Each structure stands twice: as structure tokens, then as C-alpha cells.
Amino acid sequence: MHETDENLMLAVRNGEVGKLAFLFDRHHRLLFDFFAKLTGSRAAAEDLVQDVFFRILKYRGTFRDESRFKAWMFHIARNARIDYYRKHHTGTLPAEDRDTEPQSRFGMPGDDLEQEQQVFLLECALLKLAPEKREVLILSRYQDMKYEQIAEMLGCEVSTIKVRVFRAIKELRDIFFKLSNEKPPCNVKKSVNSLRIM
Amino acid sequence: MQCEEVREQFADYVIARVEAPAPLEIVEHLSSCAACRAELDELKSLWMQLENAPATEPTAELQARFDVMLAAYEEGLRRPVHNWRRPVLEFAAAAALLVIGIGVGYRMHTPPARNPELAELQSELHQTRQMVALSLMQEQSATDRLKGVGWSYRLQEPGADVLQALLDTLMHDSNVNVRLATVDALRQFGNQPVVRRGIVDAMTRQEAPMVQIALIDLAVDLKEKESVGSLQQLTQDHNIDPAVRDRAEKGLEQLR
């Protein structure tokens, strides 16, 4: 029988910590993609996912009966991300520390080079946004979270999130157009690691 | 409606979060304002393109790291230590160790064959030390985790769970002093294959130069040939601290 995330987490909270393995299985890819897009680094993303699940164990007692797991997990993810940036004394990873190569360069269905280049530029533009703006865009676009969920997670009003998303996408567009007129489009470090896992 | 007022509503319509049709006043404004229409189309197009960015996939190592972490945590929980009980438990553990230690010392003076309780007492002592080490390594305070690492020195033959807890601390502890202390503690178990592997793995994954240098020193002292690959990787990494790179180069020479 399929157990809900919330029931699994309640079981974890109540001492059946082994059940966290099911939650990890369900959510670690999603979380990894979130962090990879947010930091531009696979190594950092893996560390952060590990950190989030460790924090889930550590703070499992704070999961309330009425909490929604995904929102709670992303709340923890956000704190982990803030601590990570604080530890690295930066609001975003410098280009030379990034190890993700925008994947679109390595072929897309139909091998549409123009589209490939567009997506590549868009990924570069996303990495140039301020972390707070990148975060709401990623949550909204890739994690498919509703404004209400994001607002709950970030502890602010829905209207604030709407404004933030709108500003973020406008700024993304400006950076995107700026990058379109630049060569090379962005400085992203190529690494053996990123190529290995393509 | 003014353009700015209309555009403030775009977050809903660009991202199609609102299923209901746009309010009449917005529709009317858009039909008569080419600039707002163009802006909306442009943002919508950008939003759609974002979807084309492929999802990034983690390596299998992430799963392995999680499994190790969960197993270590479960092991720690099997010996729960509640904060309010900890001082009492520590005192009890110390008292028990003293009594057991005296018992073991006393029995050591007579041949083991005539003292069947000796093995049991030694086992009890060992288990108590392991329990204290594992419990302390789970603590939130870095000072307590340091104590936990320190307890490992009292173990002649640590169980797999203690070694794993030490390796997990080396890999993931947020405090650099705890990680450094763990490198020192692992030295005593350098004859264990799992420890040697852990040291090699950690070498390229640590971020603190001090810990990296301590790991290189340890690998060289243990004459761990398997570390050559990691050392070469460090010598070629131009982003790491120059002192680490120099030490890695020297380490390679020493292992040759």
C-alpha cells in the first residue's frame, strides 16, 4: 500500500527512522535538481541533499501532525542552502567553482542546435540571478510548487511571492537578452565530473 | 487600468497558475496595448523555454552516502541518550568503567583459564566504551562530538559501527576541529581496510586545507599506495590551497 509522505515522516518522527529511506527514494532526485540548478554545482548539490536528510533526522521532532512533508522538506532545504552560502561567504557560487555544464550543449531530442543554444543561455542566465530570485523561479517552474506553498515555505504573503516571481522572470529575460549578445555566453567550468555523469 | 497595474498581474498569467480566465479589464487592456501584449508574450515564451532545461541526475554515490548516514543514525538511536540524562549517564558510565576496570585489573593477575568471568567483563567494558563513543558522536555540540571521537582511543578493537561513525564524522561533520580530531583518531585503526579506504576517499572531498594535509600525512605514514590516485588529483587541482598541493606532491614522492 502506498503510504503518504506525511505518514512516512510521522513514522520517522516517532522512531521508525528507517522509513526515511522511502522518503529519500521519492525526493532526493527532485531535491538534487533543485540544488544543482540553484548552485550550479553537482558536488555542492550532493552535499546539500545529504545535509537536508541529515537535518530531517535531527529535527524530525519538529514535524507536526498537520505539516506537509514537501513544504517542510523545502523549508529545511532553504536553511541548508543559506548555511551553505554563509559558510562559503558568497551569495552564489563563483563561475570557477561551478561544475555543472548546462546539459543542453550535449544534445537534445531532435538535435535542434538553435533551441539547444537558447536553453544553454537560459541556464546561464538563471545562474546569474540573485539566489532569492533564482530560488522562487526554480521552485515555481521545476518543482511545480504553487505560490501558496512557496509562501508558506518562505514565511511570507502569496502576493509577495507573485511579485518576486514576476520580477525574477523579468530580470531573467534581461540577463538572457544580454547574454545573447555576448560571446562566449557564460563562464561555466567544464569538469570531468560533469561530463562523467551526463 | 495602467500598464504597470496590468503587468503586476502577469505572474499569474505567465505561469498559468490561475485557471480562471483573466479579468475583463486585463483582457481589454491587452487588446488595446501592444506593448503589454508583447511583454506578456515574451515572458510566456521565456517561461516555456525554461521547461526545456533538462533535470540533473545525482550520482549513485549520493544514495550510498545516505545509506551510510541512515545506518549510523539508526545505530546511534539504538543506544538513546537524552540530553537531560546525559550527565547522569556519563557519570554512570564512568563509574561502571571504573568498577569494571578494577575488576578486569584484579582478574588480570590470575590465569584466564581460572577466571571465566574475565572475558565477559572485558566484553562489557568494551561495549560500554563503544556505547559512550557512539552516543557522543551523535550530539549537537561540537565539544561533545570531540569527546566521542576521543573515546574511540579507549577501544582496542572497535566494532564496524564505531569505525563507520568515525568515517562518517570525518566526511560530514560541520566542525573542522572535530574532523581533524577524527583524522588523528583513525590513525590508530590504520590497519583496517575500511579505514584506509575512508582516508583515501576523504582526501579529495574535504574542503578545509588543514584536514586535507592531515589526511595526506596519515596516508603517507600508513604507506597507503591506494592514495596515489587521490594525491595526483590534488596536485592537478589548481583551485585548492597551494599548501595542500605542495604536500600532495611531496606525499607522492614519499610513496614512490
Side-chain angles (χ1 to χ4, degrees), chain A residues 17-18 20-21 24-25 28-29 32-33 36-37 42 46-47 49-50 53-54 57-58 60 84 87-88 96 103-104 108 115 118-119 122-123 126 137 140-142 144-147 162 165-166 169-170 172-173 176-177 189 196-197, chain B residues 4 7-12 14-15 17-18 38-39 42-44 46-63 65-67 69-70 73-74 77 138-140 145 168 172-174 179 205 207 237 239:
Chain A
V17 293
L20 187 70
F24 179 85
D25 196 44
H28 78 277
R29 284 181 193 81
F32 175 81
D33 188 45
K37 284 189 166 64
R42 284 186 170 81
E46 290 202 353
D47 284 350
V49 172
Q50 175 83 352
F53 279 93
F54 179 70
L57 279 177
K58 198 167 167 183
R60 65 189 193 282
Y84 182 86
K87 191 174 157 192
H88 290 80
E96 60 271 20
Q103 300 189 8
S104 47
M108 290 179 65
Q115 190 189 6
Q118 294 286 93
V119 175
L122 210 48
E123 287 177 318
L126 200 56
L137 278 188
S140 184
R141 188 61 176 137
Y142 299 107
D144 206 29
M145 287 177 87
K146 294 186 187 310
Y147 291 149
K162 283 187 187 183
V165 170
F166 178 58
I169 194 163
K170 275 195 5 173
L172 182 73
R173 177 195 55 184
F176 175 69
F177 284 140
K189 179 188 168 191
R196 179 167 56 79
I197 61 172
Chain B
E4 204 48 43
R7 291 179 189 193
E8 278 174 10
Q9 307 293 316
F10 280 1
D12 279 334
V14 169
I15 299 164
R17 283 283 187 257
V18 174
E39 169 104 353
E42 210 170 82
L43 295 178
K44 264 186 177 173
L46 193 71
W47 187 252
M48 296 309 291
Q49 281 187 60
L50 274 178
E51 196 175 44
N52 292 330
T56 38
E57 286 285 326
T59 62
E61 196 183 333
L62 181 59
Q63 177 81 52
R65 283 172 66 189
F66 170 77
D67 291 342
M69 187 265 288
L70 185 59
Y73 200 91
E74 281 184 295
L77 278 187
Q138 296 283 331
E139 286 299 324
Q140 284 191 29
R145 297 200 302 279
D168 203 41
H172 309 299
D173 200 288
S174 57
R179 298 207 299 278
R205 302 186 55 149
E207 288 175 349
D237 186 346
N239 293 322

Side-chain angles (χ1 to χ4, degrees), chain A residues 14-95:
Chain A
N14 296 332
E16 293 179 66
V17 293
K19 289 200 170 175
L20 187 70
F22 294 107
L23 291 166
F24 179 85
D25 196 44
R26 283 182 198 175
H27 298 288
H28 78 277
R29 284 181 193 81
L30 178 119
L31 212 49
F32 175 81
D33 188 45
F34 168 69
F35 283 132
K37 284 189 166 64
L38 206 58
T39 63
S41 162
R42 284 186 170 81
E46 290 202 353
D47 284 350
L48 281 162
V49 172
Q50 175 83 352
D51 189 19
V52 167
F53 279 93
F54 179 70
R55 287 177 189 224
I56 287 177
L57 279 177
K58 198 167 167 183
Y59 302 116
R60 65 189 193 282
T62 65
F63 186 79
R64 299 189 309 272
D65 290 349
E66 66 278 13
S67 300
R68 272 177 299 190
F69 177 73
K70 203 171 156 187
W72 186 72
M73 178 182 78
F74 271 106
H75 184 72
I76 289 176
R78 186 161 193 265
N79 289 336
R81 192 267 294 169
I82 290 169
D83 288 350
Y84 182 86
Y85 283 153
R86 195 177 291 142
K87 191 174 157 192
H88 290 80
H89 308 291
T90 174
T92 182
L93 281 178

Side-chain angles (χ1 to χ4, degrees), chain B residues 146-253:
Chain B
L146 272 173
K147 278 188 203 165
V149 172
W151 269 90
S152 69
Y153 285 98
R154 308 178 194 205
L155 303 169
Q156 299 281 326
E157 291 175 13
D161 45 0
V162 172
L163 291 181
Q164 200 50 64
L166 283 171
L167 290 171
D168 203 41
T169 303
L170 171 64
M171 285 295 224
H172 309 299
D173 200 288
S174 57
N175 186 296
V176 71
N177 293 325
V178 176
R179 298 207 299 278
L180 271 176
T182 309
V183 176
D184 289 339
L186 284 168
R187 182 178 289 271
Q188 60 188 319
F189 310 124
N191 58 339
Q192 306 260 8
V194 66
V195 171
R196 297 172 86 97
R197 269 199 309 277
I199 291 165
V200 174
D201 286 348
M203 207 179 280
T204 51
R205 302 186 55 149
Q206 286 294 320
E207 288 175 349
M210 278 190 301
V211 182
Q212 284 182 306
I213 290 173
L215 284 166
I216 297 170
D217 286 342
L218 180 53
V220 170
D221 290 349
L222 294 174
K223 298 186 172 52
E224 179 53 62
K225 297 283 184 194
E226 295 293 317
S227 65
V228 168
S230 297
L231 288 172
Q232 280 170 339
Q233 198 178 326
L234 290 174
T235 60
Q236 288 155 15
D237 186 346
H238 296 291
N239 293 322
I240 62 164
D241 190 289
V244 177
R245 204 163 47 240
D246 291 347
R247 182 66 191 93
E249 279 168 7
K250 196 173 162 210
L252 273 176
E253 284 169 22

